[in-house]
Amino acid sequence: MEPLPAAQTPEYEARRFTEFLHARFTDVTPRGVVMGKIPRKKLIESFGVRVPATYEVFEDPDSIDFPQLPSRFALKPTDLWSSHGVYLLERQGDRFHEMIRQKSFTGGEIIDDLKLVFAKLGKTPGPLLAEELVAGENGQDQIPFDYKFWMFGETTGLILQHNRNTNPFQLSCFGSGFLPLPEGAFTIGGSRAQGTPVIPANADAMIETAKNISVRLDTPFCGIDLYTSGKEVFFGELSPTPGPAYYGRMLRFSPEFDHQLGDYWRQGCLTRGQPIPKISSPPPVIIAEQLEKSPV
């Protein structure tokens, strides 16, 4: 194992991908994509990329007008992260079937549940976006696979396939071009299980869409979430600071692959004339590696 810089040492340049992420997580004035969900949708749509239709933006949970919404829609807080407060809903009489939780809710129960989510995260209840629920290649009765492209300019470093139709959720990893990654490049654990990789019918279109977005964003790294019906590609979200590999609880890279992705990020900084980010301590996953390999 390479020697790890001690926490008390002066700042040092990031080398591994997770170290670059650490610099972005801890930067009070981060360089990269920082806008909210609604401005991001408008920006990506201006790139000529298909985005789910917006039905309504509600000021807070209490203002949600369920009767005006279609029979099938997604409900998302605009200022939360990951899947916190996300509901994929299908109307069933006077109730709604929620596809992630596999539970039935009334409108009032959804509002109460959302308030609880905001409270647990220490956030004031804020705006919510009601938008088109895309039917994926796996069928309308399933949650569409979420393909997360980790883009370094035109270079695809990693593609993650999230399948949220199983318990636990399943995760699969691809390299550039939906090709297999080298043996041992990653491990999956925690609250995720190894999934079955599914290459979309329009994989080439997805790759080109991710490149188109990444090049226009002009940042050394950004995660770009896409969905597909098998024919059309839809934008999902931007993830400038993806957490799974950073914390190492659901996904962990080998040091070699972590370095490879870090090299892509470093080259992106140099190409843009940007300084290499510096950090003064390792990210959580490297600290965990160090503790696991320390003598008991």
Side-chain angles (χ1 to χ4, degrees):
M1 175 182 174
E2 63 184 281
L4 294 173
Q8 67 270 21
T9 59
E11 290 187 325
Y12 60 96
E13 287 188 351
R15 298 159 298 178
R16 294 168 60 162
F17 172 78
T18 51
E19 291 177 327
F20 279 94
L21 270 187
H22 191 52
R24 190 173 275 184
F25 265 107
T26 55
D27 191 350
V28 294
T29 55
R31 183 190 299 271
V33 182
V34 295
M35 65 190 76
K37 284 184 172 60
I38 295 173
R40 285 176 181 175
K41 280 187 69 173
K42 291 179 179 178
L43 176 66
I44 300 306
E45 190 171 28
S46 75
F47 296 165
V49 176
R50 177 86 153 82
V51 302
T54 296
Y55 296 135
E56 189 61 70
V57 179
F58 300 105
E59 184 178 348
D60 54 40
D62 283 321
S63 66
I64 300 173
D65 185 358
F66 287 102
Q68 80 172 59
L69 294 171
S71 60
R72 177 183 165 93
F73 61 96
L75 188 64
K76 304 176 180 180
T78 62
D79 59 352
L80 297 186
W81 55 93
S82 188
S83 58
H84 292 300
V86 174
Y87 295 78
L88 307 182
L89 299 165
E90 291 185 313
R91 195 184 304 275
Q92 296 180 340
D94 59 353
R95 300 181 69 85
F96 295 91
H97 173 67
E98 203 290 309
M99 297 176 70
I100 299 175
R101 299 161 184 82
Q102 288 295 304
K103 288 177 61 178
S104 177
F105 293 89
T106 65
E109 287 170 340
I110 294 170
I111 290 172
D112 290 342
D113 206 40
L114 277 166
K115 289 178 180 177
L116 187 60
V117 170
F118 279 103
K120 285 182 175 179
L121 295 174
K123 301 281 287 184
T124 301
L128 297 113
L129 173 67
E131 69 176 19
E132 175 186 6
L133 178 53
V134 174
E137 192 174 15
N138 52 337
Q140 183 164 308
D141 62 335
Q142 298 285 302
I143 300 170
F145 288 175
D146 182 2
Y147 290 92
K148 299 178 181 293
F149 287 74
W150 287 15
M151 300 299 299
F152 305 83
E154 293 189 346
T155 300
T156 305
L158 181 71
I159 304 171
L160 299 175
Q161 171 196 301
H162 283 249
N163 179 6
R164 293 183 168 84
N165 296 285
T166 60
N167 187 15
F169 293 168
Q170 294 183 350
L171 181 62
S172 304
C173 297
F174 300 92
S176 178
F178 282 98
L179 296 173
L181 286 168
E183 185 73 25
F186 66 94
T187 55
I188 294 170
S191 60
R192 296 292 184 270
Q194 175 68 58
T196 301
V198 177
I199 300 176
N202 57 343
D204 289 345
M206 296 191 78
I207 293 167
E208 287 307 310
T209 299
K211 285 183 180 180
N212 173 35
I213 295 172
S214 178
V215 169
R216 289 171 179 262
L217 291 175
D218 194 26
T219 181
F221 165 78
C222 192
I224 299 169
D225 301 359
L226 301 176
Y227 301 96
T228 179
S229 65
K231 296 180 179 179
E232 283 191 280
V233 179
F234 294 81
F235 170 73
E237 182 57 283
L238 299 178
S239 303
T241 51
Y246 176 70
Y247 293 104
R249 292 191 287 265
M250 294 185 294
L251 177 68
R252 187 176 291 193
F253 298 143
S254 68
E256 294 77 16
F257 189 58
D258 203 5
H259 269 292
Q260 179 181 327
L261 297 181
D263 288 342
Y264 293 150
W265 197 320
R266 180 184 183 88
Q267 186 57 50
C269 291
L270 295 175
T271 299
R272 292 165 177 80
Q274 298 176 3
I276 305 301
K278 293 184 177 181
I279 56 177
S280 57
S281 63
V285 66
I286 295 182
I287 293 174
E289 283 179 11
Q290 185 179 36
L291 291 173
E292 289 166 5
K293 294 184 179 181
S294 295
V296 177

